[in-house]
Every structure is written in C-alpha cells, then in structure tokens.
Amino acid sequence: MNTVGAETTNTAGPGSTVGIQAESVHNSTVYQVNPESPPSRKYEVGLRFLENGAPARARELIDEAIAHGYDDAEVYFHWALSMLSKRSYRDLVPDERERLRRLPEKLAGHADDDWKRASEVVCDLVDCLEVPARDHGLALKKLDSLPGPQRDKVIRHLDLVLTGGLKNSVWAETYKAAKDARESNDRADRIWAYFQADPAEPRVRPVAAIAVPATVLLRTAAWSALFTAATGYLGWSVLMHAEPLPILSYLLLLASGYFALQKGRDWHYRARRLREKEREHRAPLARSRAPEKGFANRIDSAFDYYFVKYGPRGEKRDQWLAETAGIRNTLRNEVVEIYRESRIRAEKVHWLIRFMARDVRGRWEAGTLFGYREKYKVVASTKVWCWTSCLALFPAAAGVLIGALHSSPVLTAVSALVAVVTGRFAAPLWLHISSEYRCREDRASERFQAAAERKKECKRWKEKLDATRPSEEEMEEWLNCDKTIILNRALKYHRLAWHDILAHAFLQTPHRPSKRARVRGGPWRYSKYNIQVFLMTEDGVHEVNSKLDFEHAVTLGEEREHFRFDAISSVHVDQTEGFGCTLKLTLMNGDPKSTVVTEPEAGQPDPGEDPRAISKISIDAAGFGHTLRILEGIAAEGKSWLDRDRRSHASEHSFRKSSVGQG
C-alpha cells in the first residue's frame, strides 16, 4: 500500500523462506468468545486482549458488551484505555474523539469509586493534549493520587498519548518499574516453556494382525491330516500284532517327535525374534533425503539434534552415534509412520523424541541396548534336546516299520512314505505359524509397555509445561519492560528529554530465525524480536533498531539512524502470502528498508480459527497501526504533518468551545 493509496501487492512467492524455526499454538479458552456469549464474557475476554497487547480486538469486544448494557465505571475505564492503547491521540478519528469527550456524561450516573476517578483522569489527560498550552499539573496530581492498579494501567496504556511534560513527569518511575519487573516471576527459568509446543498424545505403532494367508492354513491342515493318517495307520498296525519291540519303538517315535517339535518351536521362535531385533538395530543404508520443510525432514533433524544433545560427551560420542544408528532409524521411522498423516506439527512430538533419546542412552550406558541377544539366544540344552530327539526318530521309525511290515508290506511302505513327505512339509508350516503367534505376543507386550512409558512421560511433560509456562499477562509485561529499557537507552544515547520528543512509535517485529508461539485466538509472540523505536524531534527522525533475545532477556545489538523529515520518499505495506505483512520504507538516498511485521501462517489453521483475524490481532500487537500512520504522514507532508496535526487539535478544541458557548 503506497502512502497515496496504491493497491496492496503480494510479494511472497512459492517456497519463500520465512525464518521460523518452530511454532506452537497452545490450547486455551482465555480468548474464546462467540456472538452468543453474554456481555460479561465479552468484556472479560476484551479485558484480556487489552492487557495482553491487542487493544483493537479489546475495543471491539468491550464495545459489544457496552451495547448490551454491561456499562459500569470499570468497563468504561477499560474502554477508554482500549481506545488509546498503542495509539496517539492523533490516531483517533473524529468519531472516536467525540466518544471520549462524552465519557464524563456516561460516568455521571455511576458511583464515585476508583474506576470512575481513573476514567476522569484519562479524560483530563486527553484535554491536556487538545490544548497544549493548558496547565497539566492538576491532571498529573490526580494521576498520582490514583490507587496503584488504576495508575499503572493509565501510565502503561497511555504510553503514546503522554508526551512532553506529561511523559517526563512519570518516565523515571516507569523506567525503574520496568527494570524491577523485567526479571520478575522467574522469567529466566520459565519463558522457554511458552515456546514449547503442547505435546501430541502418545502413540505406539499398532501390532499387526497375524498375517497367515488362508492358502498356508489350508496347506498346513492338508499336510497335517495326511501325516496323522499315515502315522495313525502305522501305530494301528503295530498295536494289532502286540509285539513289545514295535510298540516301544512307536512310543519312542511319538516322544521323540514331540520333543523335537517343542524344542524346534522354541529354537525357531528365538531365532526369528533375534533376526527382527537385529534388523531394528542394524545401521541403515544411506537414507534418501526427505522433502525440505516436510514433516519427515523435521523429524530427521530432531532425531539428529536430540541424539547428539543427550548423547555422551568426549571420545564416546562417535561410538554412541555408530552403535545407535540402527535403533535411531527404527524409532525415527516409527514416529514418522504414526504421526505423519495426522496433520500434527513436528514440534508436538519433540517430547517423544527426547524421551526416546534419553531411554536409548540409559540402556546404552547400562549395557542393555543389545540385551535382546542374550534374551533370545538359543541355549545349548535346547539344541541338544532338539538334535537328540531328531536322531532318536530314526531307530524308532525303523522299529515301527519292522513291526508293521508283517501285516501289510505295501500299505506300510506307502504310509511310511506319506508320513515322511507330509512331515517334511507340515513341520516347517507349524513352526512358522507357532512362531508368528509367539512373536506377535512379544510385540504386543513391548508395545503395551512402551505405551505405558510414553503415556507417563507425556503426562509428566504436560504437567511441567503447565506449571512452568508463563501467562499471557506475564509475557506482555516482560515485553513491555524490555521495550521501556530499549527506549530509555535510545533517549540517553541521543541525549533527548521528553520535552524534545514531538511523537514516538514502537514497532516490534520478528527477528529471523526465531521460534514463535501463541495461545489459541491470541497474537503471535516470538523468541527474538527486532524492536524499532522512532523518535520524532524538531530536527528529524531518530530510528533505533534493537535485536532483542526475548527468551533470554538480552539485547543482542543496536543499529541507529537519523534522517530528515523530507528524506522519507514512500512507505509501502505488502500483504504477503499466508496473511503475513511486510513494511517497506524508502528513503531519498537509499534502497528500501524491508521489515517483516508478521510472519505468514504456515500449514493448515487450527479448526475454528480465522487466519485473517489472527494476522490482524498480531499486527495490532506489533504496534503497526500507529507507526504506519506517523511514517505515512511524514512521507506525504514531512514535518508539516506534525505541525498541522497539532494545529488541527487546537482549532477543533476552540471550535468546540465556542459552539458550547453559543449554545
């Protein structure tokens, strides 16, 4: 948008980089309101928006509450603050100014309490702005006499309204309060939690059903039936002659077959489980790179990061990374598989990846990471019993054949051949099916245990976040403290007093790269900011751009620039793809300065949320409206815009006063 009304243009192209490392949306009801909500609820949510840095949305909700009859002195006080918060008096349109002038009439019928007195102080301060020559000493005395809660709110929300002597009289106290409150409420130990995503619910890979095809079952049943018939005939033949040696041989044949099958079944199961576990822990082949910015790519990065972070230090690190490459890849594939299709952001499963990394390290250090090798090792006794039973089958079978040949040589020979052939095919099939069921039981037991452990860890992490995460009010207070300290540093550097300042503006924008998070329905907050301060004085504009590490309460550096009022050529606002917003300031002797005011929305919006409304709230919280109006006015008219604006206030006041006198 050009200063003279050019159309908004789209500047972001497909695949553009927005510089967000991670983002989170916290589930909360603090901002939830709908058209059917009672006026008290609308006022309550509006008050939260006001205190948390989004006065435009607060104004809308408090107006709705007043329109439905919710209009005591406290409501009117906060309505007045929402009109003036993050705005100067010159930002108000005539209708808004008129509504503020009529505020004393609205308060006339209410009891004389602290809220009413505070509202009257706001009106007195606004009157001082309309008539710059007016003595503001009485208004300041009334402000000083207010109780702490009301006084602090007036000073905070009228930050851009109070100028010159009005501002200077309260600045020292404001700055001291900001220094004292900057590290309050354990900021250093708690603010990190705000940028942590709410954990996704714990999941485990489901246990697959027994995958034995019907054809395999049919073949197994057929071979088993023939084998039973053949061995049954041989046993009947032996019993019919009732000779001791064949009978003993037949009993030995049955016993040897039973033990061979049982020990072979255990051997087969253990060997299969061992192969499965070895595959899980085997170092993967070179994995094809997942699409950049995709879910799998972010999971890859998280596994690489946390397995290094939670791994051992020093010489053992390379050994750790080499020996855990296989299980790391297996766990990575599991996380991608169970969460990928759920539209869950990768940051929501970081808690699980951290837990996996710690668990693997614990087992690696305890020497149990490869403990499955001992658990599923086939012991020597099993092998001995199995081979001994198999060898015993031969003499036992010979004794049975000798006894059965007396009755019917042909049928005995056929039965023996059928028993050998069918046993050769039936036994492996039975071993496979039996191992499949036992392995599934093992996998189900492991998944059940993993699910219980992950559920416990998720609960612990949620409780820690809930106990640690700062409230919206605390986040806004800390940010205001940081901005106050930056503003004071700018005043000192340029050796300016408040009576030198014609107007000032804040613009808080994300610093790239950074993390961002918000409460559902609220504005985005960033782990790092660029805090731009514009100080308008008689000789031009001082701009101070500070890089604020908000998460650690550290100012990383500052850039300062001074330019004349006539040096600003134009101001553009570009609406980027995904409801982002970029400000471009062009100077006469330089290239455009581009500032990202809000980052575009990434991915799908949460159900029930309007990305356009979220962008609007975030832009309001950034202080963009006031900054844009000042820069556009200066770009269009230079310093004369400030002078004309002040003259128009005085003329408007004189006209209103004469009109009242004539009436």
Side-chain angles (χ1 to χ4, degrees), residues 481-622:
C481 291
D482 290 339
K483 288 159 60 178
T484 300
I485 291 171
I486 290 172
L487 176 56
N488 187 73
R489 188 181 298 131
L491 292 171
K492 283 188 174 181
Y493 179 83
H494 292 289
R495 298 181 181 179
L496 295 171
W498 276 107
H499 60 76
D500 300 318
I501 307 299
L502 303 177
H504 72 288
F506 273 111
L507 183 60
Q508 61 193 51
T509 59
H511 176 69
R512 302 180 177 191
S514 65
K515 296 174 285 187
R516 71 174 182 176
R518 64 179 175 86
V519 170
R520 183 179 173 88
W524 285 110
R525 301 186 186 277
Y526 297 87
S527 61
K528 295 179 182 178
Y529 284 99
N530 289 322
I531 305 294
Q532 288 177 273
V533 183
F534 296 92
L535 302 173
M536 271 58 73
T537 63
E538 291 289 348
D539 62 342
V541 180
H542 297 279
E543 179 189 355
V544 178
N545 191 338
S546 299
K547 296 177 176 61
L548 172 65
D549 185 345
F550 181 51
E551 191 171 4
H552 300 97
V554 175
T555 303
L556 302 176
E558 289 186 349
E559 297 177 3
R560 302 178 182 90
E561 188 170 353
H562 175 78
F563 45 86
R564 302 185 313 276
F565 288 106
D566 58 0
I568 301 179
S569 172
S570 64
V571 178
H572 298 265
V573 178
D574 294 334
Q575 185 73 47
T576 62
E577 184 180 3
F579 303 104
C581 181
T582 300
L583 172 69
K584 288 187 177 180
L585 177 66
T586 304
L587 302 179
M588 291 293 187
N589 60 347
D591 295 328
K593 298 172 61 176
S594 182
T595 301
V596 176
V597 180
T598 58
E599 295 281 1
E601 293 296 313
Q604 296 293 325
D606 285 7
E609 286 197 302
D610 179 6
R612 191 183 302 273
I614 297 302
S615 176
K616 183 179 177 181
I617 291 172
S618 297
I619 289 174
D620 179 36

Side-chain angles (χ1 to χ4, degrees), residues 133-324:
R134 180 175 176 178
D135 180 15
H136 53 260
L138 181 59
L140 290 176
K141 287 183 179 179
K142 289 183 178 180
L143 176 61
D144 287 336
S145 67
L146 288 178
Q150 287 81 6
R151 182 175 182 275
D152 292 343
K153 287 188 176 187
V154 171
I155 293 175
R156 172 188 166 190
H157 290 289
L158 271 63
D159 174 65
L160 300 177
V161 174
L162 301 176
T163 57
L166 287 171
K167 187 78 170 182
N168 195 58
S169 64
V170 298
W171 179 246
E173 183 180 348
T174 301
Y175 173 65
K176 183 181 182 303
K179 284 185 63 178
D180 295 340
R182 190 183 193 189
E183 300 288 346
S184 62
N185 298 327
D186 296 324
R187 173 180 178 174
D189 296 327
R190 296 177 57 221
I191 196 170
W192 62 268
Y194 189 88
F195 299 101
Q196 292 290 322
D198 292 327
E201 289 301 316
R203 299 177 184 177
V204 294
R205 181 181 283 154
V207 182
I210 298 297
V212 180
T215 54
V216 173
L217 293 175
L218 184 62
R219 290 202 309 271
T220 304
W223 291 123
S224 300
L226 291 173
F227 177 79
T228 302
T231 54
Y233 173 76
L234 292 175
W236 178 80
S237 298
V238 168
L239 293 175
M240 286 295 295
H241 289 81
E243 295 182 3
L245 182 60
I247 292 176
L248 291 175
S249 297
Y250 187 71
L251 293 176
L252 177 61
L253 180 67
L254 293 178
S256 300
Y258 172 79
F259 279 106
L261 190 62
Q262 287 297 319
K263 297 303 179 181
R265 172 174 172 265
D266 186 61
W267 189 344
H268 189 276
Y269 151 73
R270 290 176 177 274
R272 180 170 176 174
R273 282 294 286 161
L274 186 60
R275 288 194 300 272
E276 287 182 1
K277 288 295 184 180
E278 291 290 0
R279 280 197 300 270
E280 291 180 3
H281 290 71
R282 184 185 305 150
L285 299 174
R287 189 169 61 219
S288 59
R289 188 172 180 81
E292 189 175 357
K293 294 185 181 179
F295 178 80
N297 180 268
R298 296 190 178 198
I299 295 299
D300 288 343
S301 299
F303 266 93
D304 292 341
Y305 173 77
Y306 287 116
F307 268 79
V308 169
K309 178 178 179 180
Y310 290 103
R313 300 290 183 265
E315 298 177 355
K316 291 186 176 181
R317 170 161 295 183
D318 292 339
Q319 179 187 357
W320 150 263
L321 292 176
E323 292 183 0
T324 61

Side-chain angles (χ1 to χ4, degrees), residues 376-397:
Y376 295 112
K377 182 178 71 173
V378 182
V379 296
S381 60
T382 299
K383 295 180 179 180
V384 170
W385 272 104
C386 185
W387 282 112
T388 302
S389 299
C390 288
L391 292 175
L393 289 173
F394 293 100

Side-chain angles (χ1 to χ4, degrees), residues 36-113:
E36 293 75 29
S37 298
S40 58
R41 174 62 180 173
K42 292 180 179 179
Y43 168 70
E44 177 188 350
V45 176
L47 183 56
R48 286 195 180 123
F49 273 114
L50 174 64
E51 295 303 317
N52 299 337
R57 180 57 177 152
R59 215 158 39 240
E60 296 173 2
L61 292 172
I62 297 176
D63 264 334
E64 289 183 28
I66 293 174
H68 288 85
Y70 199 77
D71 58 354
D72 59 20
E74 179 183 351
V75 174
Y76 278 119
F77 170 71
H78 289 113
W79 170 83
L81 295 186
S82 70
M83 291 288 286
L84 298 168
S85 184
K86 294 194 176 182
R87 305 167 89 189
S88 68
Y89 188 66
R90 61 174 57 87
D91 292 332
L92 274 61
V93 299
D95 178 64
E96 291 174 329
R97 294 179 184 179
E98 183 60 29
R99 291 183 67 187
L100 277 174
R101 294 187 191 109
R102 292 165 55 188
L103 181 57
E105 300 175 13
K106 302 288 186 181
L107 296 169
H110 296 281
D112 188 12
D113 58 9

